[in-house]
Amino acid sequence: MAFDLEMIQAVYAGMGQRIEAARTAVGRPLTLTEKILYAHLYGGNVTQSFERGVSYVDFAPDRVAMQDATAQMALLQFMQAGKAQAAVPSTVHCDHLIQARDGANEDLAVANDENREVYDFLASVSNKYGIGFWKPGAGIIHQVVLENYAFPGGMMIGTDSHTPNAGGLGMIAIGVGGADAVDVMAGMAWELKFPKVIGVKLTGKMNGWTSAKDVILRVAGILTVKGGTGAIVEYFGEGANNLSATGKGTICNMGAEIGATTSVFSYDEKMGDYLRGTSRAEIAEAAAAVAHHLRADDEVYANPEAYYDQLIEIDLNTLEPYVNGPFTPDAAWPISQFAAAVKEHGWPEKLEVGLIGSCTNSSYEDITRAASIAEQAVTKGLTVNAEFTVTPGSELVRYTVERDGLLDTFAQMGGVVLANACGPCIGQWARHTDDPKRRNSIITSFNRNFAKRNDGNPNTHAFVASPEIVTAFAIAGDLTFNPLTDTLTSKDGQQVKLDEPRGVEMPPQGFAVEDAGYQAPAEDGSGVQVLVDPTSDRLELLEPFKPWEGTDLMGLRLLIKAQGKCTTDHISMAGPWLKYRGHLDNISNNMLIGATNAFNGEANKVRDFVAQGDTYNTVPQVARNYKSMHIGTVVVGDENYGEGSSREHAAMEPRHLGVRAVIVKSFARIHETNLKKQGMLGLTFANKADYDLIEEGDTIDILGLTTFAPGKQLQARLHHVDGDTDLIYLNHTYNEGQIEWFKAGSALNLIRLKEAGQA
Ligand code: MIC
Ligand code: SF4
């Protein structure tokens, strides 16, 4: 599992000169984001300055990480690229496919059995292409990356939207779709629009019940789910230096929920502590030696308004704990106002389950703080009124907290320890309930709370908070409880108050683990066979998508006009569907089944205009019907379409089922790129009000494609059922290279043509 010290030293050795060149090119002091980005230009030399929010830039990330649910598609694509080895250090992490039901050991055994074919596939592809493989049970990708691979000033991409977690160790870590990972593993440039930079200045020091999680819950309330789009969030100020590296990780992790490209902290002693504590003292030393490169220039901190595109200030002294939700992570309630909000909105007051852990909140510090509350359930003689689960982020953390007696503490309050995996966070939760449709409330220390995400029940109101707040709520079993001010009645009738949480950043006896779960790849993988059974329902080799036909697209059918929130969970649901992540045709049966049809307010019920008798059917079925008649389709959507996950299935499924264009009011970054990579048209209404012109039964022509060019609008002609037509204008963000992807049918088609010397 050895981290790559030489690679890291090489990054540091080149940094000074590149940053100096960047400062000259840009002509002003640099933010930390700019330093790291300019130090990672593809080709190395800094010869020009780039405009934030405008220039497309080629980067050379240091690493790639993939989790099992996205790695399947990423590696199926990589296998088509014709390379012998991954060009940069890369890892695969088996974390998403383990279903939480009875507890860690039982659930892991079931997962190993049920997913054997997929795990064997991932292990053998990894072995063949020089990719490190973390077995099921080793932990959640982002926690394992933080413990082993993240380093200050580095740059990585990961096929998961919470990859930014590594910003806690000062890394620019960006969530992408699998096709992007293929570029980097193939040794090609990875392209990103040079981001804007949002500064968040943290002053003061947290106290009492407030934790790092509350910083990001508050920021989410300020910026909303789309406020970070196209930007990197850079945290600084004395308050930042007081936060543990893992606390910083929590903040960066959940930056995904505001749409940020990533989030990052500058190097400080807390990062040094964490690196030393996780057996990487050499990196701490190397980083300390270049610490001036691992922070913004002094002028930036002295006058932040002048250098950041937007500035937010948060005073940690007065920051309250937050509870965010339900159904969206940016509905932020300070704890002092939460009970009133619960009453006012009529959310179910009884709390049924509290769930802690996940990639967001699994550190030693998190566990100790939560345990200090759990302990009081016993010492103060309290009844625990909700179910309680713990998902450790990694085997390293789990082993260590078990050794230190903390898991026992949770067990004593009735907690169930689940496998080191995503579990309930991604709907891998066989929730014990008598009625899967009941209105109910749960609270988690995870990051997302979209409808149906955890247990598939649209009536589950999921709230997000810190682990210690979740634990306190689980004891109370009541959402109107405020642990800071309210008392609970003990078993012997006393009114008792919970003491403030106490945490320990790093284990006093150090981390320990018996088997971390890592498998190194073969030195020479050329002889390794990767087998995919042609009859498998879990894995399917990919067929290249067809290139563009060279004409405008005439007579497309409107498949669905989606209304309101349409996240990747709505477009390609997770939970039970995760098992088809390596089989494009099978997983396509979940396409857009969660999206609300604007014409009838229902999910997964759209009109089929070519079926016998003009009927309604499910979205995938209607798409298949049009496809079988060679009729292309269009999906129309609302704001921030495709928010949430990096899963490229949300782009590949529509591509596979014949959707040609996705036209929306606005996109989330990763999803927009995923559409482009798969050869789709991802377009936005030039005039957002034109969304209202789209009528049920429309056929749509997409015009202007023969002169498709960067910055030049396309048009759509809408043919309504009553014979009327409308001509509307569509914006796009395709650059020259991306237009080539569209023409070739996908980015991968272009790579393949290039490998074969035909492009
Ligand atoms: C998520 O949190 O939504 C996931 C599941 O980790 C996804 C990745 C996936 O869909 O496989 C993400 O965040 O990118
Ligand atoms: Fe896993 Fe949840 Fe983290 Fe996504 S957010 S990586 S599903 S734990």
Side-chain angles (χ1 to χ4, degrees):
M1 100 188 78
F3 54 83
D4 205 331
L5 187 60
E6 263 171 46
M7 179 264 276
I8 296 170
Q9 281 165 337
V11 171
Y12 291 166
M15 251 184 150
Q17 185 236 330
R18 291 178 182 193
I19 289 173
E20 199 40 62
R23 212 179 271 121
T24 310
V26 176
R28 56 162 170 76
L30 299 177
T31 59
L32 171 61
T33 298
E34 289 163 312
K35 289 186 180 182
I36 302 178
L37 289 180
Y38 278 100
H40 284 88
L41 297 183
Y42 191 75
N45 290 335
V46 183
T47 54
Q48 66 176 112
S49 90
F50 299 106
E51 201 181 331
R52 293 182 193 168
V54 176
S55 315
Y56 278 98
V57 181
D58 284 345
F59 291 103
D62 303 312
R63 302 198 65 89
V64 174
M66 294 160 275
Q67 42 87 343
D68 51 3
T70 49
Q72 298 172 60
M73 214 36 107
L75 292 168
L76 283 164
Q77 293 176 84
F78 183 67
M79 285 165 66
Q80 296 197 331
K83 299 284 175 182
Q85 286 264 305
V88 302
S90 304
T91 48
V92 164
H93 304 261
C94 296
D95 52 3
H96 280 63
L97 301 181
I98 304 171
Q99 196 189 39
R101 178 187 295 269
D102 299 318
N105 295 337
E106 300 84 337
D107 296 346
L108 184 58
V110 171
N112 271 319
D113 186 36
E114 286 182 350
N115 302 315
R116 170 154 320 139
E117 183 186 5
V118 170
Y119 293 149
D120 286 350
F121 167 74
L122 291 173
S124 62
V125 190
S126 301
N127 197 19
K128 182 170 182 64
Y129 294 110
I131 298 168
F133 181 71
W134 289 81
K135 293 186 272 190
I140 307 174
I141 176 170
H142 312 302
Q143 181 67 26
V144 174
V145 165
L146 195 73
E147 287 165 1
N148 295 278
Y149 302 123
F151 67 95
M155 179 175 188
M156 68 177 283
I157 58 164
T159 60
D160 189 282
S161 68
H162 293 103
T163 304
N165 192 64
L169 270 182
M171 192 165 202
I172 293 277
I174 302 180
V176 298
D180 290 54
V182 172
D183 290 348
V184 178
M185 290 191 294
M188 298 172 14
W190 177 68
E191 185 188 66
L192 178 74
K193 191 187 272 182
F194 204 93
K196 297 195 173 205
V197 191
I198 297 176
V200 178
K201 181 173 181 182
L202 302 176
T203 58
K205 194 166 191 284
M206 290 181 315
N207 52 70
W209 284 83
T210 304
S211 74
K213 182 68 164 279
D214 302 307
V215 173
I216 184 63
L217 294 175
R218 168 92 183 103
V219 169
I222 298 170
L223 284 176
T224 78
V225 289
K226 50 183 295 213
T229 309
I232 291 185
V233 184
E234 198 170 305
Y235 290 86
F236 65 98
E238 46 155 336
N241 301 336
N242 294 326
L243 295 170
S244 62
T246 50
K248 292 177 169 90
T250 297
I251 294 173
C252 294
N253 175 299
M254 229 191 122
E257 272 54 65
I258 54 169
T261 302
T262 191
S263 304
V264 70
F265 281 83
S266 58
Y267 181 74
D268 63 15
E269 257 322 289
K270 295 283 190 183
M271 291 189 198
D273 290 346
Y274 186 73
L275 285 167
R276 280 184 289 272
T278 49
S279 314
R280 290 174 290 171
E282 304 91 323
I283 302 182
E285 229 171 81
V290 295
H292 53 297
H293 297 326
L294 305 176
R295 59 199 303 274
D297 286 335
D298 290 339
E299 295 89 331
V300 173
Y301 294 142
N303 189 11
E305 290 87 352
Y307 300 102
Y308 291 110
D309 295 291
Q310 184 180 351
L311 183 67
I312 292 171
E313 232 177 287
I314 293 180
D315 177 5
L316 300 183
N317 290 328
T318 56
L319 181 69
E320 275 189 67
Y322 272 72
V323 181
N324 287 21
F327 306 127
T328 183
D330 57 357
W333 307 98
I335 191 94
S336 58
Q337 293 166 29
F338 183 58
V342 171
K343 292 211 155 77
E344 190 189 321
H345 293 90
W347 298 323
E349 291 182 22
K350 176 172 159 29
L351 177 75
E352 299 201 4
V353 195
L355 305 96
I356 67 165
S358 88
C359 66
T360 322
N361 270 120
S362 277
S363 63
Y364 191 82
E365 184 181 26
D366 289 331
I367 301 286
T368 47
R369 282 176 69 88
S372 75
I373 304 300
E375 196 176 63
Q376 298 177 50
V378 181
T379 55
K380 297 192 170 160
L382 296 165
T383 315
V384 176
N385 290 306
E387 278 181 60
F388 187 66
T389 69
V390 185
T391 38
S394 72
E395 178 59 11
L396 184 78
V397 163
R398 193 209 62 78
Y399 189 94
T400 307
V401 299
E402 178 173 56
R403 177 201 65 193
D404 294 353
L406 300 161
L407 294 186
D408 280 345
T409 309
F410 293 126
Q412 279 163 25
M413 84 167 252
V416 175
V417 179
L418 302 171
N420 312 320
C422 300
C425 180
I426 190 55
Q428 290 282 49
W429 188 21
R431 185 173 171 188
H432 314 134
T433 173
D434 45 3
D435 173 7
K437 289 267 175 298
R438 189 185 39 241
R439 281 183 93 244
N440 76 100
S441 292
I442 65 171
I443 188 165
T444 79
S445 75
F446 312 160
N447 43 37
R448 298 202 166 127
N449 52 359
F450 304 141
K452 298 198 220 174
R453 179 173 169 94
N454 302 114
D455 62 358
N457 176 357
N459 295 317
T460 293
H461 293 57
F463 296 88
V464 177
S466 70
E468 46 273 43
I469 290 287
V470 171
T471 310
F473 270 109
I475 294 171
D478 178 356
L479 274 191
T480 64
F481 173 64
N482 178 352
L484 281 70
T485 52
D486 299 350
T487 55
L488 293 166
T489 310
S490 70
K491 287 176 196 149
D492 57 11
Q494 306 286 320
Q495 286 303 302
V496 296
K497 202 160 165 270
L498 294 172
D499 301 328
E500 288 174 355
R502 281 170 292 104
V504 186
E505 278 176 30
M506 300 289 286
Q509 302 173 58
F511 282 107
V513 70
E514 236 162 48
D515 174 10
Y518 179 70
Q519 214 164 279
E523 283 286 327
D524 173 5
S526 54
V528 177
Q529 291 283 325
V530 179
L531 297 178
V532 173
D533 178 350
T535 64
S536 167
D537 68 343
R538 302 279 308 257
L539 294 166
E540 179 189 49
L541 292 174
L542 291 169
E543 287 290 326
F545 293 127
K546 286 210 185 79
W548 173 51
E549 52 272 67
T551 59
D552 282 340
L553 304 179
M554 309 301 280
L556 306 177
R557 277 276 172 192
L558 176 69
L559 177 63
I560 181 172
K561 174 174 170 178
Q563 185 176 39
K565 214 171 180 62
C566 191
T567 72
T568 46
D569 281 348
H570 298 82
I571 305 171
S572 175
M573 201 192 177
W577 292 90
L578 284 174
K579 64 171 173 292
Y580 298 122
R581 283 291 184 87
H583 196 295
L584 182 54
D585 193 53
N586 283 348
I587 196 158
S588 294
N589 290 330
N590 79 357
M591 185 181 79
L592 284 157
I593 61 177
T596 304
N597 177 358
F599 302 116
N600 59 10
E602 290 187 59
N604 206 19
K605 192 171 171 198
V606 292
R607 200 134 160 213
D608 184 340
F609 280 86
V610 292
Q612 290 292 320
D614 184 8
T615 53
Y616 284 86
N617 212 326
T618 65
V619 185
Q621 192 51 53
V622 173
R624 285 189 193 274
N625 291 351
Y626 289 138
K627 185 182 173 184
S628 70
M629 303 179 76
H630 307 286
I631 300 171
T633 51
V634 174
V635 169
V636 168
D638 219 312
E639 296 279 6
N640 210 24
Y641 181 88
E643 121 185 41
S645 160
S646 67
R647 62 190 76 141
E648 63 199 322
H649 306 76
M652 292 180 90
E653 295 175 25
R655 182 75 170 99
H656 175 62
L657 293 187
V659 178
R660 304 299 301 272
V662 179
I663 306 174
V664 301
K665 291 184 186 170
S666 63
F667 279 112
R669 173 189 61 90
I670 306 178
H671 185 63
E672 183 178 20
T673 308
N674 285 344
L675 287 171
K676 291 177 179 176
K677 287 248 148 161
Q678 301 301 338
M680 298 265 284
L681 290 169
L683 309 170
T684 51
F685 292 104
N687 173 9
K688 285 186 183 180
D690 288 348
Y691 172 91
D692 299 329
L693 295 178
I694 309 286
E695 292 172 13
E696 196 171 33
D698 280 357
T699 56
I700 301 171
D701 307 328
I702 308 279
L703 309 172
L705 291 172
T706 51
T707 54
F708 194 7
K712 186 163 176 269
Q713 285 182 327
L714 297 172
Q715 292 131 41
R717 184 173 297 114
L718 314 175
H719 303 266
H720 306 301
V721 175
D722 62 6
D724 277 1
T725 60
D726 280 300
L727 187 71
I728 63 172
Y729 286 83
L730 304 171
N731 291 339
H732 70 83
T733 61
Y734 288 71
N735 62 23
E736 298 279 359
Q738 295 169 339
I739 290 172
E740 293 308 311
W741 301 343
F742 166 71
K743 291 184 175 165
S746 72
L748 191 60
N749 284 355
L750 205 59
I751 298 183
R752 208 181 312 100
L753 288 175
K754 283 190 178 145
E755 277 296 308
Q758 293 167 9

PDB file of all heavy atoms in Angstrom, residues 147-164:
ATOM      1  N   GLU A 147      -6.135   8.253   4.694  1.00  0.00           N
ATOM      2  CA  GLU A 147      -5.181   7.555   5.567  1.00  0.00           C
ATOM      3  C   GLU A 147      -3.906   7.140   4.856  1.00  0.00           C
ATOM      4  O   GLU A 147      -2.875   6.928   5.499  1.00  0.00           O
ATOM      5  CB  GLU A 147      -5.832   6.281   6.134  1.00  0.00           C
ATOM      6  CG  GLU A 147      -6.878   6.560   7.192  1.00  0.00           C
ATOM      7  CD  GLU A 147      -7.752   5.348   7.488  1.00  0.00           C
ATOM      8  OE1 GLU A 147      -7.538   4.279   6.875  1.00  0.00           O
ATOM      9  OE2 GLU A 147      -8.665   5.488   8.307  1.00  0.00           O
ATOM     10  N   ASN A 148      -3.979   6.963   3.529  1.00  0.00           N
ATOM     11  CA  ASN A 148      -2.850   6.368   2.835  1.00  0.00           C
ATOM     12  C   ASN A 148      -2.235   7.184   1.716  1.00  0.00           C
ATOM     13  O   ASN A 148      -1.040   7.062   1.463  1.00  0.00           O
ATOM     14  CB  ASN A 148      -3.264   5.017   2.236  1.00  0.00           C
ATOM     15  CG  ASN A 148      -3.611   4.007   3.298  1.00  0.00           C
ATOM     16  OD1 ASN A 148      -2.723   3.386   3.862  1.00  0.00           O
ATOM     17  ND2 ASN A 148      -4.893   3.865   3.593  1.00  0.00           N
ATOM     18  N   TYR A 149      -3.046   7.950   1.012  1.00  0.00           N
ATOM     19  CA  TYR A 149      -2.544   8.502  -0.248  1.00  0.00           C
ATOM     20  C   TYR A 149      -2.575  10.015  -0.360  1.00  0.00           C
ATOM     21  O   TYR A 149      -1.817  10.590  -1.143  1.00  0.00           O
ATOM     22  CB  TYR A 149      -3.339   7.915  -1.417  1.00  0.00           C
ATOM     23  CG  TYR A 149      -3.282   6.410  -1.502  1.00  0.00           C
ATOM     24  CD1 TYR A 149      -4.448   5.649  -1.482  1.00  0.00           C
ATOM     25  CD2 TYR A 149      -2.060   5.744  -1.613  1.00  0.00           C
ATOM     26  CE1 TYR A 149      -4.409   4.268  -1.579  1.00  0.00           C
ATOM     27  CE2 TYR A 149      -2.009   4.358  -1.704  1.00  0.00           C
ATOM     28  CZ  TYR A 149      -3.186   3.625  -1.695  1.00  0.00           C
ATOM     29  OH  TYR A 149      -3.138   2.263  -1.787  1.00  0.00           O
ATOM     30  N   ALA A 150      -3.486  10.663   0.339  1.00  0.00           N
ATOM     31  CA  ALA A 150      -3.607  12.113   0.168  1.00  0.00           C
ATOM     32  C   ALA A 150      -2.339  12.785   0.665  1.00  0.00           C
ATOM     33  O   ALA A 150      -1.743  12.344   1.648  1.00  0.00           O
ATOM     34  CB  ALA A 150      -4.812  12.624   0.943  1.00  0.00           C
ATOM     35  N   PHE A 151      -1.920  13.841  -0.020  1.00  0.00           N
ATOM     36  CA  PHE A 151      -0.762  14.587   0.477  1.00  0.00           C
ATOM     37  C   PHE A 151      -0.909  16.072   0.130  1.00  0.00           C
ATOM     38  O   PHE A 151      -1.473  16.424  -0.906  1.00  0.00           O
ATOM     39  CB  PHE A 151       0.550  14.001  -0.054  1.00  0.00           C
ATOM     40  CG  PHE A 151       0.765  14.150  -1.527  1.00  0.00           C
ATOM     41  CD1 PHE A 151       1.492  15.215  -2.040  1.00  0.00           C
ATOM     42  CD2 PHE A 151       0.246  13.218  -2.415  1.00  0.00           C
ATOM     43  CE1 PHE A 151       1.698  15.359  -3.412  1.00  0.00           C
ATOM     44  CE2 PHE A 151       0.442  13.357  -3.784  1.00  0.00           C
ATOM     45  CZ  PHE A 151       1.163  14.423  -4.283  1.00  0.00           C
ATOM     46  N   PRO A 152      -0.387  16.934   0.999  1.00  0.00           N
ATOM     47  CA  PRO A 152      -0.546  18.370   0.811  1.00  0.00           C
ATOM     48  C   PRO A 152       0.055  18.818  -0.519  1.00  0.00           C
ATOM     49  O   PRO A 152       1.168  18.407  -0.870  1.00  0.00           O
ATOM     50  CB  PRO A 152       0.249  18.968   1.980  1.00  0.00           C
ATOM     51  CG  PRO A 152       0.313  17.885   3.006  1.00  0.00           C
ATOM     52  CD  PRO A 152       0.327  16.600   2.250  1.00  0.00           C
ATOM     53  N   GLY A 153      -0.689  19.622  -1.245  1.00  0.00           N
ATOM     54  CA  GLY A 153      -0.185  20.150  -2.509  1.00  0.00           C
ATOM     55  C   GLY A 153      -0.349  19.215  -3.684  1.00  0.00           C
ATOM     56  O   GLY A 153      -0.008  19.563  -4.813  1.00  0.00           O
ATOM     57  N   GLY A 154      -0.871  18.024  -3.454  1.00  0.00           N
ATOM     58  CA  GLY A 154      -1.064  17.072  -4.545  1.00  0.00           C
ATOM     59  C   GLY A 154      -2.360  17.331  -5.291  1.00  0.00           C
ATOM     60  O   GLY A 154      -3.173  18.173  -4.901  1.00  0.00           O
ATOM     61  N   MET A 155      -2.534  16.603  -6.390  1.00  0.00           N
ATOM     62  CA  MET A 155      -3.773  16.707  -7.155  1.00  0.00           C
ATOM     63  C   MET A 155      -4.210  15.309  -7.544  1.00  0.00           C
ATOM     64  O   MET A 155      -3.403  14.518  -8.019  1.00  0.00           O
ATOM     65  CB  MET A 155      -3.543  17.543  -8.412  1.00  0.00           C
ATOM     66  CG  MET A 155      -4.787  17.676  -9.275  1.00  0.00           C
ATOM     67  SD  MET A 155      -4.481  18.789 -10.659  1.00  0.00           S
ATOM     68  CE  MET A 155      -6.133  18.923 -11.300  1.00  0.00           C
ATOM     69  N   MET A 156      -5.467  15.000  -7.307  1.00  0.00           N
ATOM     70  CA  MET A 156      -5.961  13.688  -7.712  1.00  0.00           C
ATOM     71  C   MET A 156      -7.376  13.806  -8.243  1.00  0.00           C
ATOM     72  O   MET A 156      -8.068  14.794  -7.988  1.00  0.00           O
ATOM     73  CB  MET A 156      -5.939  12.701  -6.539  1.00  0.00           C
ATOM     74  CG  MET A 156      -6.925  13.009  -5.430  1.00  0.00           C
ATOM     75  SD  MET A 156      -6.911  11.769  -4.099  1.00  0.00           S
ATOM     76  CE  MET A 156      -7.828  10.435  -4.871  1.00  0.00           C
ATOM     77  N   ILE A 157      -7.789  12.784  -8.981  1.00  0.00           N
ATOM     78  CA  ILE A 157      -9.204  12.681  -9.332  1.00  0.00           C
ATOM     79  C   ILE A 157      -9.710  11.350  -8.802  1.00  0.00           C
ATOM     80  O   ILE A 157      -8.937  10.399  -8.605  1.00  0.00           O
ATOM     81  CB  ILE A 157      -9.455  12.775 -10.852  1.00  0.00           C
ATOM     82  CG1 ILE A 157      -8.696  11.686 -11.606  1.00  0.00           C
ATOM     83  CG2 ILE A 157      -9.089  14.158 -11.372  1.00  0.00           C
ATOM     84  CD1 ILE A 157      -9.189  11.498 -13.021  1.00  0.00           C
ATOM     85  N   GLY A 158     -11.002  11.274  -8.559  1.00  0.00           N
ATOM     86  CA  GLY A 158     -11.604  10.037  -8.072  1.00  0.00           C
ATOM     87  C   GLY A 158     -12.990   9.888  -8.667  1.00  0.00           C
ATOM     88  O   GLY A 158     -13.681  10.893  -8.882  1.00  0.00           O
ATOM     89  N   THR A 159     -13.372   8.652  -8.945  1.00  0.00           N
ATOM     90  CA  THR A 159     -14.688   8.447  -9.561  1.00  0.00           C
ATOM     91  C   THR A 159     -15.754   8.377  -8.481  1.00  0.00           C
ATOM     92  O   THR A 159     -16.467   7.382  -8.336  1.00  0.00           O
ATOM     93  CB  THR A 159     -14.715   7.173 -10.416  1.00  0.00           C
ATOM     94  OG1 THR A 159     -14.409   6.050  -9.573  1.00  0.00           O
ATOM     95  CG2 THR A 159     -13.714   7.250 -11.537  1.00  0.00           C
ATOM     96  N   ASP A 160     -15.848   9.439  -7.735  1.00  0.00           N
ATOM     97  CA  ASP A 160     -16.861   9.564  -6.701  1.00  0.00           C
ATOM     98  C   ASP A 160     -16.914  11.032  -6.312  1.00  0.00           C
ATOM     99  O   ASP A 160     -15.871  11.687  -6.198  1.00  0.00           O
ATOM    100  CB  ASP A 160     -16.493   8.715  -5.482  1.00  0.00           C
ATOM    101  CG  ASP A 160     -17.648   8.659  -4.502  1.00  0.00           C
ATOM    102  OD1 ASP A 160     -17.844   9.642  -3.759  1.00  0.00           O
ATOM    103  OD2 ASP A 160     -18.374   7.649  -4.489  1.00  0.00           O
ATOM    104  N   SER A 161     -18.107  11.539  -6.101  1.00  0.00           N
ATOM    105  CA  SER A 161     -18.235  12.984  -5.907  1.00  0.00           C
ATOM    106  C   SER A 161     -17.632  13.470  -4.590  1.00  0.00           C
ATOM    107  O   SER A 161     -17.351  14.647  -4.452  1.00  0.00           O
ATOM    108  CB  SER A 161     -19.692  13.399  -5.995  1.00  0.00           C
ATOM    109  OG  SER A 161     -20.409  12.882  -4.907  1.00  0.00           O
ATOM    110  N   HIS A 162     -17.416  12.554  -3.628  1.00  0.00           N
ATOM    111  CA  HIS A 162     -16.839  13.014  -2.358  1.00  0.00           C
ATOM    112  C   HIS A 162     -15.321  12.889  -2.289  1.00  0.00           C
ATOM    113  O   HIS A 162     -14.712  13.028  -1.228  1.00  0.00           O
ATOM    114  CB  HIS A 162     -17.526  12.317  -1.176  1.00  0.00           C
ATOM    115  CG  HIS A 162     -18.957  12.749  -1.060  1.00  0.00           C
ATOM    116  ND1 HIS A 162     -20.000  11.961  -1.473  1.00  0.00           N
ATOM    117  CD2 HIS A 162     -19.495  13.917  -0.657  1.00  0.00           C
ATOM    118  CE1 HIS A 162     -21.138  12.633  -1.314  1.00  0.00           C
ATOM    119  NE2 HIS A 162     -20.862  13.820  -0.821  1.00  0.00           N
ATOM    120  N   THR A 163     -14.709  12.698  -3.429  1.00  0.00           N
ATOM    121  CA  THR A 163     -13.248  12.690  -3.531  1.00  0.00           C
ATOM    122  C   THR A 163     -12.622  13.928  -2.863  1.00  0.00           C
ATOM    123  O   THR A 163     -11.525  13.833  -2.300  1.00  0.00           O
ATOM    124  CB  THR A 163     -12.850  12.593  -5.027  1.00  0.00           C
ATOM    125  OG1 THR A 163     -13.471  11.424  -5.567  1.00  0.00           O
ATOM    126  CG2 THR A 163     -11.360  12.528  -5.228  1.00  0.00           C
ATOM    127  N   PRO A 164     -13.274  15.084  -2.888  1.00  0.00           N
ATOM    128  CA  PRO A 164     -12.704  16.279  -2.239  1.00  0.00           C
ATOM    129  C   PRO A 164     -12.351  16.098  -0.766  1.00  0.00           C
ATOM    130  O   PRO A 164     -11.660  16.947  -0.183  1.00  0.00           O
ATOM    131  CB  PRO A 164     -13.816  17.326  -2.400  1.00  0.00           C
ATOM    132  CG  PRO A 164     -14.498  16.937  -3.669  1.00  0.00           C
ATOM    133  CD  PRO A 164     -14.481  15.426  -3.665  1.00  0.00           C
TER     134      PRO A 164
END
